[in-house]
Amino acid sequence: MEAKRSETSPQESPRPRWSISSSSGLQYGSLVNSVSSLSPIVAEKPAISPTQAYVTIAVLCYVNLINYMERYTIPGVLTDIKNFFSINDSTVGLLQTVFICSFLFLAPLFGYLGDRYNRKYIMIGGLSVWLLTAACSSFVTKSQFWLLIVLRALVGIGEASYSTIAPTIIGDLFSGGRRSIMISIFYVFIPVGSGLGYIVGAGIASVTTDWRWALRVTPIMGLVGLILMVFLCPNPPRGAAETNGGEVTGQSSYLEDIKYLLKNKSYVWSTLGVTALAFLTGALAFWLPTFLSRAHITQKLQPNSTNESCDSSDSYIFGAVTVATGILGGALGTILSRQFGEKVLHADPLICAVGMMGSVPCLFIIIFVASASIPATYVFIFLGELLLSLNWPVLADILLYVVVPTRRATAEALQITVGHLLGDAGSPYLIGVISDAINATKPHTDEWNFHSLKYSLLFCPFVGILGGVFFLITTLYITEDRKAVQQLTEDPRPQQGPTPESSMEQSSKSAA
């Protein structure tokens, strides 16, 4: 296999580039064979200055905040929407399902484009579509629930472009422990944005007595983010952090990228764990405020809400809990990863497994205690969300260090697709369907309305156990896969002797 050197014109300043290519003449099972060799050219200076890198992180975090605020504004006003359109649990659950479906089906496209074209322009285009469709969804009338469904699906276009590409840019700006910290900060804004979505959505709906005004806040904030991205965000060379300002270039087909990822066992099993986590968090984030509201009604703490503007206290409290646990959980996950990462090489997936399985008892308590004590329920919601929030920054870091730079956007996209397709794309709708099916077995009452949703939520703890098992399996392969990628990016010279085995090589030998 030949090492490929990128050429620069005489007018261009020298910049290191590391070429990654594949060859049909070698067996596609070895990580080294699948990415070939790397050839450096000495750099004069880093491609992106440290100041510009930190400014970029700030902008990406702000847009990530708005991204998740918009996504969870609708769950914050879910009861208002249900009463406005006079629909049942399963139908209102479609709002989240169609959004996630469009999101996941477009993610592979943006992953493919993100590994090959200018990532900044792709994000700007996607966010422009998101802002327009999100704003338009706030003008639907009572007879246009179908239009709200269509617009929610279109909103997924913008969010798919951003969520797929932004983490790969962070991976190209920082490396090592600093990258772990930056990824942690970026992913902390997922629960923070989600929590603020509940709070802002419910607050605006309460003040204006119209839930549609809640959908107009994030497009305005998003416009600021779009302008900041245009003027302040660069498109860093791929692999710049690992190659001291250089660039890793790729010449592989999309099919080769997918084959590479499917042979990477650390990536496959951690993706299955992400899927279980997405199913769990998607269902709980969508239904828990409504579940708590029905618990209040069952305990006679508040009257049944039949008007268009409902008591939003549960959305406020749940949003505040989500923000707090997101910050604390993300920070704790990063601290644990840095503390034990050097001592225990498979510490990261182990932390994720503990977080998933540790949340299961909390979920059971939440489901069965809600009818007796709302304060006790919130205590265990806090603990359960804290344990689940450990995972997000750790999982993002895992993907970045077990996948080579030129395939990270594709890896993010495939993980998003699988995670949402089998996770939170269907979990809100599935819980709603189960709830409606149980509710139909007895005459409709406020108490039975609560219990039907309660029994449907029992599906979630078992998914949490399954996710923990997936992360435990990841611990078996992550050390070899991580070392293989590190050797390729830190010592790119053609190998003269045996190369370190990754899980992909082991699988090839087993098959032989």
Side-chain angles (χ1 to χ4, degrees):
M1 183 175 297
E2 298 179 356
K4 296 182 180 296
R5 181 184 299 269
S6 300
E7 297 180 357
T8 58
S9 63
Q11 291 79 17
E12 292 178 332
S13 59
R15 185 176 67 181
R17 298 172 66 86
W18 312 75
S19 177
I20 292 181
S21 61
S22 62
S23 171
S24 59
L26 291 173
Q27 181 181 356
Y28 202 109
S30 164
L31 176 61
V32 177
N33 288 346
S34 70
V35 295
S36 189
S37 58
L38 307 173
S39 300
I41 297 177
V42 178
E44 289 184 345
K45 61 180 179 179
I48 304 295
S49 69
T51 300
Q52 190 177 15
Y54 287 117
V55 170
T56 301
I57 284 291
V59 174
L60 294 179
C61 286
Y62 174 75
V63 177
N64 202 35
L65 175 74
I66 306 305
N67 185 353
Y68 279 87
M69 278 185 65
E70 195 284 330
R71 186 180 300 189
Y72 286 98
T73 297
I74 282 191
V77 294
L78 195 63
T79 303
D80 293 334
I81 295 174
K82 183 179 176 183
N83 292 333
F84 182 82
F85 291 106
S86 300
I87 52 181
N88 58 22
D89 285 350
S90 58
T91 304
V92 76
L94 281 173
L95 284 172
Q96 193 75 345
T97 296
V98 296
F99 163 78
I100 296 297
C101 283
S102 69
F103 182 88
L104 69 90
F105 284 125
L106 288 166
L109 171 62
F110 287 115
Y112 176 85
L113 297 175
D115 278 336
R116 291 160 175 81
Y117 301 102
N118 190 298
R119 292 172 288 184
K120 175 179 176 178
Y121 295 156
I122 296 170
M123 288 195 298
I124 290 172
L127 286 175
S128 300
V129 174
W130 166 60
L131 292 174
L132 180 63
T133 54
C136 288
S137 65
S138 69
F139 293 98
V140 297
T141 63
K142 286 188 176 182
S143 61
Q144 294 178 323
F145 181 72
W146 64 271
L147 180 58
L148 182 60
I149 289 286
V150 172
L151 290 171
R152 290 302 297 169
L154 293 176
V155 168
I157 296 175
E159 297 205 19
S161 67
Y162 184 78
S163 297
T164 302
I165 294 173
T168 69
I169 291 180
I170 298 175
D172 291 334
L173 293 174
F174 302 94
S175 63
R178 186 168 298 177
R179 179 165 69 188
S180 298
I181 294 173
M182 294 304 155
I183 283 290
S184 173
I185 294 172
F186 178 80
Y187 275 90
V188 157
F189 283 93
I190 291 180
V192 171
S194 302
L196 289 177
Y198 291 112
I199 296 170
V200 173
I204 296 296
S206 177
V207 170
T208 62
T209 67
D210 186 350
W211 62 269
R212 290 171 292 188
W213 276 99
L215 302 184
R216 296 167 187 164
V217 176
T218 48
I220 296 173
M221 298 176 67
L223 182 60
V224 176
L226 182 64
I227 294 172
L228 292 174
M229 184 172 292
V230 169
F231 291 103
L232 298 179
C233 286
N235 179 44
R238 292 170 180 83
E242 289 94 343
T243 57
N244 297 319
E247 180 175 10
V248 177
T249 59
Q251 296 183 357
S252 59
S253 69
Y254 187 70
L255 181 59
E256 287 175 326
D257 292 348
I258 298 299
K259 286 181 178 179
Y260 160 79
L261 293 173
L262 292 179
K263 290 176 181 288
N264 188 325
K265 291 184 179 179
S266 297
Y267 173 78
V268 170
W269 287 108
S270 63
T271 296
L272 292 175
V274 169
T275 302
L277 179 63
F279 184 100
L280 192 58
T281 55
L284 296 176
F286 195 82
W287 284 114
L288 271 187
T290 301
F291 176 68
L292 293 169
S293 178
R294 293 181 184 182
H296 274 105
I297 294 171
T298 300
Q299 297 182 40
K300 310 300 183 184
L301 298 176
Q302 69 183 45
N304 188 6
S305 179
T306 55
N307 61 343
E308 289 187 7
S309 184
C310 306
D311 188 340
S312 55
S313 61
D314 292 305
S315 291
Y316 292 142
I317 300 172
F318 186 75
V321 169
T322 302
V323 171
T325 55
I327 295 173
L328 293 174
L332 182 59
T334 303
I335 292 171
L336 292 174
S337 176
R338 289 172 61 82
Q339 183 71 27
F340 297 105
E342 294 183 359
K343 301 175 184 176
V344 183
L345 296 180
H346 57 275
D348 284 350
L350 196 58
I351 292 169
C352 294
V354 170
M356 286 289 282
M357 291 187 170
S359 70
V360 170
C362 297
L363 296 177
F364 278 116
I365 295 172
I366 290 166
I367 293 169
F368 287 104
V369 172
S371 59
S373 173
I374 297 297
T377 303
Y378 272 115
V379 170
F380 286 97
I381 288 176
F382 181 90
L383 293 175
E385 287 202 352
L386 180 68
L387 289 166
L388 292 174
S389 296
L390 295 175
N391 294 346
W392 294 116
V394 179
L395 286 170
D397 207 22
I398 288 175
L399 184 145
L400 291 174
Y401 65 61
V402 300
V403 177
V404 293
T406 56
R407 285 164 172 159
R408 284 174 182 163
T410 299
E412 289 278 357
L414 186 60
Q415 189 171 90
I416 286 173
T417 299
V418 174
H420 288 310
L421 179 64
L422 302 178
D424 57 349
S427 61
Y429 180 68
L430 177 62
I431 297 300
V433 168
I434 296 173
S435 176
D436 284 342
I438 296 173
N439 203 9
T441 61
K442 289 185 179 181
H444 178 78
T445 64
D446 289 339
E447 185 173 356
W448 186 237
N449 199 32
F450 164 75
H451 284 291
S452 62
L453 183 55
K454 167 184 170 180
Y455 296 141
S456 67
L457 287 172
L458 284 173
F459 195 76
C460 294
F462 296 100
V463 175
I465 294 172
L466 185 62
V469 172
F470 289 146
F471 288 129
L472 288 176
I473 297 175
T474 306
T475 63
L476 302 176
Y477 305 104
I478 196 164
T479 302
E480 290 80 5
D481 291 338
R482 182 176 189 174
K483 286 182 177 178
V485 173
Q486 283 178 337
Q487 179 167 337
L488 286 168
T489 54
E490 294 175 2
D491 185 17
R493 292 167 297 180
Q495 302 299 314
Q496 302 299 322
T499 57
E501 289 188 347
S502 67
S503 67
M504 292 173 287
E505 292 175 285
Q506 293 172 4
S507 118
S508 296
K509 290 181 178 178
S510 298

